[in-house]
Amino acid sequence: MDWITTVDHKKIAVLYLIAGGFFFGIGGIEAILIRIQLMKPMNDFVSAQVFNELITMHGTTMIFLGVMPIIFAVMNAVVPLQIGARDVAFPFVNALGFWTFLFGGLLLNLSWVMGGAPDAGWTSYTPLSGSEYSGTHGVDFYTIGLQIAGLGTLIGGINFLATIITMRAPGMSYMRMPMFTWTTFITSAIILFAFPAITVGLVLLTFDRILGANFFDVAGGGNPVLWQHIFWIFGHPEVYILILPAFGIISEVIPTFARKRLFGYSSMVFATILIAFLGFMVWAHHMFTTGLGTVANALFSISTMLIAVPTGIKIFNWLFTMWGGQIRFTAANLFAVGFVPTFVMGGVTGVMLASAPADFQFHDTYFVVAHFHYVIVGGLVLGLFSGLHYWWPKMFGRVLSETLGKWTFWTFMIGFQLTFFVQHFLGLMGMQRRIVTYLPNQDFDLLNLVSSVGAFLMGVGVIMFLVNIVITTRKPADAPNDPWEDGRTLEWSIPSPPPEYNFKQTPLVRGIDAYWKEKMAGHTEMTPAEPVGSIHMPSATPLPFVMSVGIFIAGLGLMFSKDDFGNAFMNGLFNNYIVVIIGLLITFGAMALRSLYDDHGWHIEPEDQDEKGVRT
Amino acid sequence: MMKQWQVAKRILPLLAVFSLLLSACGREDLSVMKPQGPVAQGQYDLMKLSITIMIVVLIIVFAIAAYVLIRFRRRAGQNEVPEQVEGNFKLEVIWTAIPLLLVIVLAVPTVKTIFAQGEDLSNDKNAIQVKVTSHQYWWEFTYPQYDVTTAQDLIIPTGKKIAFELKTADVLHSFWVPSLAGKMDTNPDGTLNKFSFSAPNEGVYRGKCAELCGRSHAFMEFKVKAVSQESFDKWVNEMKAPAVLPEDTQLAEKFKTNCLSCHAVGDQGGPVAPNLTGIGGKQSVAGILLNQGEGQEDGNSVLDNMKEWLHDPQSVKPGNTMPNPKDLGLTDEEIDGIAEYLANYKLDYE
Ligand code: HEM
Ligand SMILES: [Cu+2]
């Protein structure tokens, strides 16, 4: 119950972590099934229909329900601590964001048991995703599930923007913000601008499918290429929503374990902003073969290549952060160090793809599959593993086993390289992506087998991480404030896990790497910026949960509003939009309750301010 | 300067080895890395340029990383705090400028190739015009200059430029012959695409659909067969010759009523399904069941493939729109008879 009503950013972080981990597991199982199917030519482990559902759900789940929430988990756990805040700007909204994400994700995955998962690819290109060619409710689960989950993301993004703008501790100017906070800030800005595009796109597609509109139907005057533009205007920035937080994590972990401040801090900030900006200008590089014409292809080729410049700045800055340092290879740092070359691999193939005539060959082949997995798995997932090992003691008060962590790293890393390196060659040798099987004797057989074996190894790596969590959770929570001893930012100045109110007294920030600065000055704590006093806390409330349940019910109702259930009662309920209305009433009712009933929260008095967190 | 050249000299053999490795990959009739025509060659050249640049980048980054990781590990008893370096303006400018330079080196030929290959040949009298129409899950090729339509096997004369106009009859597909040219999407009316390629050498090249188009996307393959100009002209004539029907008149009647309602042979039948003229001589049945022949190591005989298809089209290409001949009321013997007739229906043009 406590977990359903919580509005504490640290608990919401844990919720995001569990839910994200759960979906990541589902996406992983889907990946393994795909790889079993492709292990040998003309395999019939799954049917063509199920295969299309698997790739669609794997892509959709991983991106929207797997890694994004884990990013949000880390952001929620860390950002308020890094800026010296007691919570996020809108704790209630934060909880709402989580619950809408969760219910959207559940709705999407219900499709597996409710008559067919979406099968038009995670990009859902029309007309294949239209009701004419995708007759099950699969794509409806996609549009409505993602709509609800996306709402949560948008809410979360806005909340982080507000938090970072308004709640920094005294003295923390923008140019003193830790890099992870910076990347969270920029990521949230991208979310703010990119998500409305997918929101609109999904609404239009829903209208086409459920209400018979013609936005993407040529016969009715629509245009299927329009969907591609809308999708990628969102979809390309989405990639940066994923990777920038990983950049932020790496920028925290490497300095800590090299015992040096981040090299070229201001150029890092500048590069981050530039990447975000360029990220919006290049969406059509996913569409070179759609036939945009020579001029458009030339412009989008060049603008895409330009992203290599700020990215290069980052890579070299990380390398030179380590230069002259004293590097410790903890599990967290292994992942961070492994990130750099792997991500560079993904980056250089990105530049290759940017060359439009060459992309005519690369596009929609395994070369592209290799490229984006190098970026997303080799970049983001390694980054997340790094961040989780790094901040685990802060979140849970227990340091993860280093030995198991290193084993996880090596198995995952070797498995990863096996899986995806060979796929570059498969693509060049003529293997298209999204194919359920392939003819023998095309030189595809051996490399596909290698790739599948690698995927199993990655699976083993992930299982090791889970084992690590279980083992660690059974140990006492006795991690010190600064378990890595070289922590640089504010979160390491408070107990692990932090008390409910984070900071007994808001700290005074005197420079970049505020805590490190105090340590170097011989202090053991931050200088407070305020006297000890009564701390105001927001009240726990089940309303965000209830509101999300309402949206979930309305979504299901809308999806089945045209169905014939062969049962007058059910038909009456659904076909007259009664279920939709009930769902919306629940949501709006909860909203009304929230507005009408004044809740002033509560206070923790100085005598109750014990030092350590009381959680798990 | 001298020193840098030394480095380059060391990298060059590495690159040579690497390009050898690359070109050792894949089949000549399928691999992007063994281009068989000028368009694919131009694209491959760009790929080689970008790969070279990228390998140099990788080597530099990996070298710095390796050096840093080995040289600056924390040793036992190392307790003094390293100097907290803020950054270095000069260095940072250098690693902004170098990627920019590399990008320009790649961008210039890229733009050149884009415009060179974007040429519109649809009014070129010397080019062979081909209208490609994609269907779930088969390919239709129409030659407006010759008034000929065929399916699955695209026959072209060597050396001639082939000017394509692409469209789809249903969902999006993508037309791709890796060893001859990159892919191009087939869009619905209103956003038709044009492009061209040519094949200097005779041979059969494998083509694929590269855009997810439904359940049998993986099976939506086709072949491009490049033949001499004379053979091509002969082929056109053969295509235009009157239809050959089964000798057994009863079977012919069955074939006409049940099959020609959608398919065509010669001057008879309809355009709803793939044109069957000369199908016994094609590289495959239904685009995916390879017929025995050169380069098709495990192809079955045409007859076996034809029977496999006709006895259960859904198991070969799930979701395709051809009705099962059994459901049309044909007996097993009749199906086998038609299979035999079709397997022997060959055009003589080579
Ligand atoms: C165990 C790790 C993974 C393996 C073995 C794996 C494997 C695959 C395979 C075989 C495909 C199908 C390629 C195709 O035919 O199109 C695929 C597609 C995809 N994967 Fe992964 N993947 C893994 C992890 C991830 C992760 C962590 C993400 C993102 C966070 C991800 C994102 C995607 C996306 C977006 C697609 C495209 C789906 C589509 O075509 O609609 N994958 N993956
Ligand atoms: Cu296809």
Side-chain angles (χ1 to χ4, degrees):
Chain A
M1 199 56 205
D2 193 21
W3 288 98
I4 286 178
T5 58
T6 185
V7 293
D8 178 6
H9 73 96
K10 297 179 288 300
K11 286 193 172 180
I12 291 176
V14 176
L15 288 173
Y16 265 120
L17 189 63
I18 295 172
F22 170 71
F23 288 122
F24 186 85
I26 294 185
I29 292 169
E30 285 155 358
I32 297 284
L33 295 178
I34 297 174
R35 274 322 321 173
I36 294 178
Q37 165 65 15
L38 292 173
M39 206 149 76
K40 59 177 205 222
M42 296 312 276
N43 199 2
D44 57 1
F45 174 70
V46 294
S47 71
Q49 176 62 30
V50 171
F51 183 84
N52 286 354
E53 294 175 5
L54 282 174
I55 56 155
T56 304
M57 286 300 279
H58 164 70
T60 313
T61 304
M62 281 299 194
I63 296 225
F64 292 100
L65 312 177
V67 290
M68 281 251 275
I70 300 181
I71 294 173
F72 267 55
V74 180
M75 288 176 173
N76 260 305
V78 173
V79 168
L81 306 184
Q82 276 199 332
I83 62 174
R86 294 216 164 99
D87 205 327
V88 293
F90 309 110
F92 180 90
V93 172
N94 201 17
L96 180 62
F98 169 74
W99 291 111
T100 47
F101 142 69
L102 181 67
F103 280 101
L106 289 177
L107 183 79
L108 187 52
N109 274 281
L110 269 184
S111 63
W112 281 119
V113 291
M114 286 179 68
D119 56 2
W122 85 282
T123 49
S124 264
Y125 276 14
T126 55
L128 185 62
S129 59
S131 40
E132 196 183 340
Y133 298 102
S134 190
T136 68
H137 276 299
V139 179
D140 298 326
F141 280 105
Y142 172 94
T143 54
I144 293 176
L146 284 191
Q147 192 66 275
I148 297 174
L151 197 66
T153 310
L154 189 53
I155 292 176
I158 293 172
N159 202 355
F160 280 121
L161 277 179
T163 306
I164 295 171
I165 292 174
T166 61
M167 297 180 65
R168 283 164 292 132
M172 181 171 284
S173 62
Y174 280 101
M175 290 314 277
R176 284 179 181 176
M177 253 160 41
M179 262 328 277
F180 182 67
T181 299
W182 254 115
T183 54
T184 302
F185 184 57
I186 302 296
T187 302
S188 306
I190 305 180
I191 289 177
L192 182 64
F193 290 107
F195 264 72
I198 190 73
T199 305
V200 170
L202 290 173
V203 167
L204 300 186
L205 188 55
T206 310
F207 281 5
D208 268 19
R209 287 183 57 90
I210 297 183
L211 306 177
N214 290 311
F215 291 104
F216 306 117
D217 180 13
V218 183
N223 182 350
V225 177
L226 177 64
W227 166 263
Q228 298 183 26
H229 282 289
I230 297 177
F231 184 86
W232 287 116
I233 284 175
F234 147 79
H236 195 78
E238 167 71 17
V239 180
Y240 296 92
I241 296 175
L242 299 180
I243 199 64
L244 287 183
F247 286 175
I249 292 172
I250 303 304
S251 303
E252 300 288 335
V253 174
I254 285 185
T256 299
F257 294 109
R259 307 186 83 209
K260 268 184 71 200
R261 68 171 277 181
L262 186 65
F263 193 91
Y265 173 86
S266 38
S267 65
M268 283 300 222
V269 171
F270 170 73
T272 310
I273 297 173
L274 199 62
I275 290 175
F277 176 76
L278 287 173
F280 276 97
M281 318 294 277
V282 301
W283 79 91
H285 70 211
H286 296 270
M287 299 166 64
F288 286 142
T289 66
T290 308
L292 301 171
T294 46
V295 176
N297 279 1
L299 287 175
F300 280 105
S301 268
I302 293 173
S303 56
T304 304
M305 290 177 189
L306 283 180
I307 296 186
V309 176
T311 312
I313 296 178
K314 292 204 159 237
I315 301 285
F316 285 109
N317 278 341
W318 286 322
L319 291 177
F320 278 77
T321 303
M322 292 188 277
W323 193 289
Q326 297 162 0
I327 306 170
R328 264 164 71 204
F329 292 97
T330 56
N333 200 33
L334 275 181
F335 279 107
V337 168
F339 165 96
V340 175
T342 317
F343 181 77
V344 173
M345 268 295 292
V348 297
T349 52
V351 178
M352 294 175 66
L353 289 167
S355 176
D359 185 65
F360 288 175
Q361 291 284 21
F362 297 132
H363 183 64
D364 269 342
T365 68
Y366 263 84
F367 190 90
V368 171
V369 177
H371 156 71
F372 69 72
H373 281 93
Y374 262 86
V375 176
I376 300 181
V377 183
L380 176 59
V381 176
L382 287 183
L384 284 176
F385 271 127
S386 174
L388 287 176
H389 281 87
Y390 181 60
W391 279 305
W392 200 268
K394 186 52 64 185
M395 289 176 74
F396 298 100
R398 299 171 177 88
V399 185
L400 285 171
S401 151
E402 278 291 308
T403 325
L404 259 174
K406 287 176 186 171
W407 274 96
T408 308
F409 170 75
W410 287 111
T411 2
F412 189 83
M413 189 69 169
I414 293 170
F416 167 80
Q417 303 291 351
L418 275 183
T419 312
F420 295 110
F421 186 68
V422 296
Q423 291 185 359
H424 292 110
F425 295 91
L426 280 172
L428 292 172
M429 283 156 51
M431 181 165 164
Q432 346 67 303
R433 68 191 272 212
R434 296 172 167 175
I435 48 172
V436 54
T437 191
Y438 47 92
L439 292 173
N441 290 320
Q442 301 189 99
D443 291 351
F444 297 171
D445 309 10
L446 176 66
L447 296 186
N448 270 299
L449 179 63
V450 171
S451 187
S452 297
V453 171
F456 296 140
L457 258 184
M458 288 170 79
V460 173
V462 173
I463 290 171
M464 280 187 196
F465 181 62
L466 295 180
V467 171
N468 197 348
I469 292 178
V470 172
I471 292 178
T472 306
T473 306
R474 298 167 67 186
K475 287 195 281 202
D478 56 0
N481 291 7
D482 183 10
W484 309 116
E485 286 157 16
D486 293 314
R488 310 177 70 87
T489 37
L490 283 181
E491 73 268 32
W492 306 112
S493 68
I494 54 173
S496 315
E500 224 177 332
Y501 44 81
N502 299 348
F503 294 87
K504 194 170 188 169
Q505 293 159 286
T506 304
L508 180 67
V509 174
R510 294 202 265 205
I512 293 180
D513 292 339
Y515 185 44
W516 176 269
K517 209 172 164 71
E518 299 294 331
K519 281 195 285 190
M520 288 303 113
H523 306 156
T524 53
E525 306 186 332
M526 296 301 297
T527 317
E530 58 173 16
V532 175
S534 159
I535 299 173
H536 174 248
M537 302 295 292
S539 310
T541 158
L543 289 182
F545 178 81
V546 174
M547 284 162 71
S548 308
V549 171
I551 298 177
F552 176 82
I553 295 174
L556 271 179
L558 179 63
M559 234 166 69
F560 290 97
S561 60
K562 288 279 182 295
D563 281 35
D564 185 4
F565 293 87
N567 164 334
F569 175 67
M570 291 289 277
N571 282 352
L573 266 187
F574 279 88
N575 298 2
N576 298 315
Y577 297 100
I578 291 175
V579 180
V580 180
I581 293 168
I582 292 175
L584 290 181
L585 278 181
I586 295 176
T587 304
F588 286 124
M591 282 162 93
L593 214 64
R594 160 82 176 161
S595 332
L596 296 179
Y597 171 67
D598 260 339
D599 186 345
H600 296 291
W602 52 290
H603 286 79
I604 303 180
E605 300 309 328
E607 57 276 18
D608 297 328
Q609 293 170 6
D610 55 336
E611 273 300 304
K612 194 129 170 164
V614 276
R615 299 181 301 111
T616 38
Chain B
M1 201 60 216
M2 204 46 220
K3 235 176 149 186
Q4 273 154 5
W5 177 233
Q6 293 288 324
V7 174
K9 263 212 279 248
R10 267 192 219 138
I11 293 174
L12 279 178
L14 219 147
L15 288 182
V17 170
F18 194 79
S19 16
L20 266 178
L21 234 154
L22 267 186
S23 53
C25 280
R27 299 166 52 120
E28 274 192 5
D29 59 350
L30 175 62
S31 177
V32 172
M33 291 171 288
K34 293 192 173 155
Q36 302 296 318
V39 176
Q41 184 66 50
Q43 292 164 344
Y44 185 55
D45 289 344
L46 265 183
M47 289 162 56
K48 278 193 294 191
L49 173 66
S50 58
I51 247 188
T52 312
I53 297 177
M54 294 311 147
I55 287 179
V56 172
V57 172
L58 285 182
I59 290 176
I60 295 173
V61 173
F62 287 8
I64 298 180
Y67 176 75
V68 168
L69 293 182
I70 293 168
R71 169 79 179 69
F72 297 108
R73 30 189 349 144
R74 187 171 187 181
R75 280 158 241 279
Q78 208 173 17
N79 278 328
E80 81 291 353
V81 174
E83 193 194 345
Q84 302 293 302
V85 186
E86 200 159 311
N88 181 321
F89 187 68
K90 256 194 230 149
L91 276 176
E92 287 166 61
V93 169
I94 290 178
W95 59 63
T96 312
I98 292 179
L100 200 59
L101 220 78
L102 293 179
V103 163
I104 293 171
V105 171
L106 182 59
V108 172
T110 293
V111 172
K112 269 194 200 152
T113 316
I114 291 177
F115 285 99
Q117 299 193 344
E119 197 184 2
D120 182 359
L121 298 176
S122 49
N123 292 315
D124 186 337
K125 297 262 172 341
N126 292 320
I128 310 263
Q129 308 290 331
V130 175
K131 290 194 186 312
V132 178
T133 309
S134 56
H135 304 255
Q136 277 178 328
Y137 303 95
W138 58 281
W139 296 91
E140 179 179 354
F141 306 112
T142 303
Y143 301 68
Q145 291 150 316
Y146 304 100
D147 196 21
V148 162
T149 295
T150 185
Q152 314 298 22
D153 279 15
L154 170 69
I155 313 290
I156 59 170
T158 52
K160 273 283 182 74
K161 287 200 168 152
I162 319 294
F164 295 98
E165 186 182 288
L166 307 155
K167 76 180 237 184
T168 178
D170 37 58
V171 304
L172 307 186
H173 305 265
S174 193
F175 179 81
W176 187 34
V177 193
S179 57
L180 292 180
K183 60 194 68 63
M184 191 53 84
D185 290 1
T186 63
N187 297 334
D189 282 318
T191 42
L192 301 191
N193 283 327
K194 292 175 179 168
F195 88 123
S196 69
F197 63 59
S198 61
N201 305 316
E202 285 187 30
V204 177
Y205 306 99
R206 291 195 175 188
K208 315 246 168 187
C209 173
E211 178 71 63
L212 178 65
C213 58
R215 269 197 270 171
S216 281
H217 166 53
F219 307 116
M220 195 173 153
E221 304 206 345
F222 62 100
K223 310 285 174 296
V224 176
K225 189 168 176 182
V227 297
S228 68
Q229 183 69 46
E230 304 91 79
S231 300
F232 179 73
D233 293 337
K234 251 168 109 183
W235 175 76
V236 170
N237 283 333
E238 292 262 310
M239 284 298 288
K240 299 177 89 153
V244 180
L245 286 174
E247 282 161 22
D248 177 344
T249 48
Q250 227 181 333
L251 195 64
E253 220 28 63
K254 287 261 174 184
F255 179 67
K256 271 201 210 165
T257 47
N258 289 310
C259 310
L260 293 189
S261 52
C262 295
H263 295 279
V265 284
D267 48 354
Q268 305 201 15
V272 178
N275 187 301
L276 301 178
T277 315
I279 185 164
K282 287 191 184 169
Q283 300 292 316
S284 64
V285 173
I288 190 72
L289 299 174
L290 297 181
N291 297 334
Q292 249 157 29
E294 220 183 311
Q296 315 211 122
E297 294 78 0
D298 30 29
N300 289 323
S301 73
V302 195
L303 183 59
D304 286 349
N305 284 339
M306 195 63 79
K307 283 185 179 163
E308 179 174 355
W309 173 255
L310 290 181
H311 281 285
D312 191 2
Q314 283 304 319
S315 74
V316 177
K317 270 190 184 172
N320 83 79
T321 50
M322 167 156 159
N324 190 325
K326 273 189 207 99
D327 298 337
L328 296 172
L330 295 175
T331 64
D332 282 344
E333 294 79 65
E334 284 165 341
I335 293 175
D336 287 346
I338 291 178
E340 204 154 332
Y341 149 69
L342 287 175
N344 289 322
Y345 192 165
K346 297 183 179 167
L347 304 182
D348 176 27
Y349 64 95
E350 276 173 293

